Amino acid sequence: MSTFIKPNKTLGYSDIYLDFLMQKDGIDEFYTAQSLKSVAVQLKGQKFNRDEIADILTDQNKLFGASQKVFDNIKLLKDEKTLCIATGQQAGLFGGSLLIMIKALAIVKSAKLYSKQLQQPVIPIFWIAGDDHDYEEVNHTYTLDRLSQIVKSTYDVTPEIELPTSELLFENAEELNKAKATLYKSLGDTDFTEELYNLIDRCYAQSDNYAVSFGKLMAQLTKEYGLVLFSPGDRHVKKMSVNFFQSIIEKQDQLHEILSETNNQIQSQGYHIQVEKKENSAHLFFNLNGRKPVLSEGDKFTVEKKTFTKQEILDEIAEHPEKFSPDVMTRPIWQSLLFPIVSQKGGASEIAYLAQINKIFALFGLVTPLYKARPTLTVVEKRYQNLMETHEIHFEDLVGDIENVINRILAESFPEDIEHKFQSLKNHIKCHFEDFTEESLTFDKSLEPFAKQIMGKIDYTLNSFEGKVFSAHKKRSKESRERIYKLWHALYPMRTFQERIVNISYFISRYGFEFISFLYDQIDSEESSHKLIYISEMEE
């Protein structure tokens, strides 16, 4: 049993992404690759440094502690027939949010499917975005505690300069231990946490950087699936990329012309630009006392306050390639230079920005991959499944105003006119008692004080009962409100998809490492609808 929700604007998807999914007329102008087979045919004429990149992958995955299945896939890469499917993400703290695992497992499944369809090997490559320097995106992660409250665990050390995350070491043992302690406290102790915490302790050590720690954890979590992990911050990778980095500088005019023309076409069709870059961006970063963008100023290039001639920046690339890295616009091009990428999986934002760069591949003599939407899902635990079924709560309801959901449920559980009914009851009793008292006093007038006393007790008792009814409703309302908010925090935390917030460790701590296998089984790698998967199926 699963629930599928078709992508729509209510869920926050952009027009260009929705039109991409529907293959609307004209959308192929921005997504030039139309089929796996056509891309595979084009890649036959492409030359790659397969042996060199395979050696680099071997060294990196040995460092990560990868399984034999990974090395078998790396060996396949040396065969000219072998193609790759890629995805990637930044090296989030303690493995990052659930979507990272979803992406990873999705390309594993797609690799098997595409291998059968193309009748040639396709291997899954996960690109650890270790060149990125956006520290604020990777220094924390979120879990849910036992009360379903969102807990943030942070390695709270701000670097003095903006370095790529592959160069940022966990140097502060106290802060690293504090981040782990926050994570462990939020998850508590279960049958599975001892093994989980030991794994995290081994992977996130003071001597490692973000990319290596992330790689070690991912290698263990995906050891059954042959996922090949790749970190581009490697010096050997940079050395073999010198010509490409220099080409970015050499082809500045054409690069800017293509991007400007494509952006204008995207906007002319009513779409927004996903990635805004400065007009003078050279689409390259230089680690000059921190990772800084290279800006193009005619025949000059500037990095902060330092100016280079074209030849000087080319010489810097040749002498110190390890200091350079592409920006968001040229990184996918670099990926297709290093690997025979037949397909790239991405989320809504990635697919939207990839529309801006499709025509750049040809500028560098490379083949544009077939872009595919990654699967997206929400994990529904049994208690939340029961709550949703009991009150007929749909996932889309959580995306809107949660108070509307609460008010509907409270209205269903408590009559709106209860106060009016209570007043009617008291008036009715009072009226009948007074009629009876008036008739009784004809027998004995001395009964009047006693009758008033009785009426007072009746009134007091009715008011007391009314108070208890409303008190019970108030308590029940509070409990209902709390349950709905817990549901909201669990399935749509921080007003976005669960997969973008909640760390994979939350689910492992509750359901064990078998949760990874369950997730793998539940993922449909070619499905673009948002899928609700139910833990109750794992427990059966």
Side-chain angles (χ1 to χ4, degrees):
M1 178 187 73
S2 297
T3 303
F4 292 91
I5 303 166
K6 189 175 180 180
N8 57 72
K9 295 191 72 172
T10 302
L11 294 177
Y13 292 115
S14 65
D15 288 330
I16 195 167
Y17 178 69
L18 295 174
D19 288 349
F20 166 82
L21 295 180
M22 296 174 60
Q23 287 298 291
K24 184 179 177 182
D25 289 345
I27 200 68
D28 56 358
E29 181 179 351
F30 308 116
Y31 301 98
T32 53
Q34 296 302 302
S35 71
L36 280 174
K37 188 173 182 179
S38 65
V39 178
V41 169
Q42 293 177 68
L43 284 170
K44 286 183 179 179
Q46 193 87 45
K47 295 297 181 182
F48 296 92
N49 296 324
R50 290 176 178 269
D51 289 342
E52 189 173 357
I53 198 68
D55 289 342
I56 291 171
L57 289 173
T58 298
D59 289 341
Q60 288 189 1
N61 283 271
K62 280 182 179 178
L63 177 62
F64 299 149
S67 67
Q68 185 57 46
K69 290 183 179 180
V70 173
F71 297 111
D72 291 343
N73 274 338
I74 293 173
K75 187 177 180 180
L76 280 175
L77 185 59
K78 294 185 177 184
D79 187 331
E80 290 188 357
K81 293 181 180 179
T82 300
L83 304 175
C84 302
I85 177 174
T87 194
Q89 194 72 24
Q90 291 162 307
L93 186 65
F94 305 140
S97 63
L98 182 62
L99 71 83
I100 292 175
M101 187 57 63
I102 295 170
K103 280 184 164 186
L105 298 180
I107 62 169
V108 170
K109 276 198 158 181
S110 289
K112 291 182 178 180
L113 176 64
Y114 299 168
S115 294
K116 291 179 181 179
Q117 291 178 349
L118 296 171
Q119 292 297 295
Q120 62 188 110
V122 179
I123 64 171
I125 302 289
F126 189 98
W127 183 290
I128 304 172
D131 270 332
D132 287 9
H133 63 278
D134 195 341
Y135 179 72
E136 296 299 326
E137 288 194 16
V138 298
N139 73 335
H140 64 275
T141 194
Y142 297 97
T143 47
L144 298 170
D145 64 15
R146 290 295 179 179
L147 299 176
S148 295
Q149 296 299 308
I150 300 168
V151 178
K152 183 178 183 180
S153 302
T154 307
Y155 177 67
D156 198 11
V157 179
T158 303
E160 293 182 3
I161 58 176
E162 293 181 313
L163 290 173
T165 55
S166 61
E167 297 182 26
L168 286 175
L169 297 175
F170 291 104
E171 296 179 306
N172 192 316
E174 182 180 352
E175 285 298 329
L176 180 58
N177 289 333
K178 187 185 296 183
K180 290 178 182 178
T182 302
L183 181 80
Y184 301 164
K185 182 180 179 181
S186 74
L187 300 178
D189 293 322
T190 71
D191 293 341
F192 314 109
T193 50
E194 182 178 359
E195 184 180 358
L196 173 63
Y197 298 163
N198 286 338
L199 175 61
I200 293 174
D201 285 339
R202 292 198 307 272
C203 296
Y204 283 80
Q206 190 178 356
S207 58
D208 287 331
N209 62 54
Y210 272 83
V212 169
S213 292
F214 176 88
K216 287 180 176 180
L217 182 60
M218 286 294 291
Q220 292 305 305
L221 295 179
T222 62
K223 61 186 177 182
E224 300 297 324
Y225 305 104
L227 179 73
V228 180
L229 299 163
F230 172 71
S231 176
D234 192 298
R235 283 176 173 267
H236 299 291
V237 176
K238 298 299 180 70
K239 187 175 180 180
M240 66 185 294
S241 304
V242 167
N243 290 340
F244 174 65
F245 295 162
Q246 290 179 329
S247 293
I248 293 175
I249 296 298
E250 295 279 10
K251 298 178 178 181
Q252 283 291 297
D253 291 341
Q254 302 101 303
L255 185 57
H256 284 100
E257 183 179 346
I258 291 172
L259 286 173
S260 177
E261 179 182 320
T262 303
N263 286 346
N264 288 336
Q265 290 174 335
I266 289 173
Q267 290 177 314
S268 70
Q269 293 201 24
Y271 302 127
H272 79 284
I273 300 299
Q274 182 67 31
V275 176
E276 298 278 1
K277 298 291 290 187
K278 292 181 179 179
E279 290 185 5
N280 61 345
S281 172
H283 303 293
L284 198 64
F285 280 94
F286 184 10
N287 191 346
L288 188 65
N289 193 32
R291 190 173 186 248
K292 305 293 192 310
V294 180
L295 301 179
S296 173
E297 306 287 351
D299 293 333
K300 304 287 184 180
F301 293 85
T302 62
V303 181
E304 282 205 321
K305 296 180 181 180
K306 190 172 179 60
T307 301
F308 301 85
T309 65
K310 183 177 181 179
Q311 189 57 51
E312 286 173 338
I313 200 77
L314 292 173
D315 290 343
E316 285 285 349
I317 292 172
E319 293 174 18
H320 303 287
E322 73 280 359
K323 293 185 177 182
F324 290 85
S325 55
D327 75 350
V328 66
M329 310 305 282
T330 50
R331 190 211 60 77
I333 317 300
W334 187 29
Q335 178 177 274
S336 286
L337 173 83
L338 298 172
F339 299 99
I341 305 295
V342 69
S343 181
Q344 167 85 22
K345 277 206 185 289
S349 296
E350 292 169 276
I351 294 296
Y353 105 77
L354 288 170
Q356 298 174 242
I357 67 168
N358 265 254
K359 297 177 182 178
I360 302 177
F361 287 86
L363 176 64
F364 291 92
L366 299 171
V367 178
T368 308
L370 178 68
Y371 295 132
K372 302 279 283 185
R374 71 167 178 85
T376 171
L377 57 84
T378 292
V379 181
V380 183
E381 296 178 81
K382 193 169 184 179
R383 52 181 166 159
Y384 299 125
Q385 179 184 351
N386 293 338
L387 184 61
M388 294 175 77
E389 290 174 352
T390 299
H391 295 292
E392 296 184 352
I393 300 171
H394 303 288
F395 181 79
E396 295 93 320
D397 297 333
L398 305 179
V399 177
D401 187 346
I402 195 64
E403 289 297 326
N404 290 338
V405 179
I406 293 171
N407 290 338
R408 173 178 66 80
I409 292 171
L410 294 183
E412 292 171 354
S413 64
F414 195 78
E416 292 183 6
D417 60 346
I418 190 71
E419 189 172 1
H420 173 74
K421 288 183 176 180
F422 249 113
Q423 189 58 49
S424 177
L425 173 63
K426 288 192 286 186
N427 290 339
H428 183 75
I429 291 174
K430 184 178 180 180
C431 182
H432 281 277
F433 187 80
E434 287 178 348
D435 287 344
F436 180 76
T437 299
E438 186 176 350
E439 187 174 341
S440 299
L441 292 180
T442 59
F443 299 103
D444 186 350
K445 284 285 186 180
S446 65
L447 293 174
E448 185 173 0
F450 182 69
K452 289 181 179 180
Q453 185 180 14
I454 293 297
M455 187 64 231
K457 289 181 178 181
I458 292 174
D459 191 54
Y460 174 82
T461 302
L462 287 173
N463 287 334
S464 179
F465 178 53
E466 181 182 16
K468 288 184 180 296
V469 169
F470 279 94
S471 178
H473 173 57
K474 186 177 180 181
K475 180 180 179 181
R476 185 175 179 183
S477 297
K478 182 181 178 182
E479 291 173 350
S480 296
R481 179 180 293 273
E482 288 176 350
R483 284 197 296 270
I484 301 305
Y485 266 98
K486 286 179 180 179
L487 169 70
W488 190 45
H489 289 156
L491 270 58
Y492 202 69
M494 299 171 67
R495 299 179 184 276
T496 190
F497 288 123
Q498 175 199 79
E499 62 183 21
R500 298 175 185 171
I501 301 296
V502 181
N503 189 282
I504 185 70
S505 64
Y506 169 76
F507 299 102
I508 295 174
S509 72
R510 295 181 67 82
Y511 306 104
F513 288 91
E514 287 300 311
F515 175 78
I516 305 294
S517 301
F518 170 70
L519 194 62
Y520 178 80
D521 292 339
Q522 290 290 321
I523 287 173
D524 182 342
S525 64
E526 306 304 298
E527 176 62 62
S528 60
S529 292
H530 189 76
K531 183 179 181 182
L532 303 189
I533 64 173
Y534 299 95
I535 288 291
S536 58
E537 294 187 24
M538 178 181 177
E539 297 174 335
E540 289 178 354

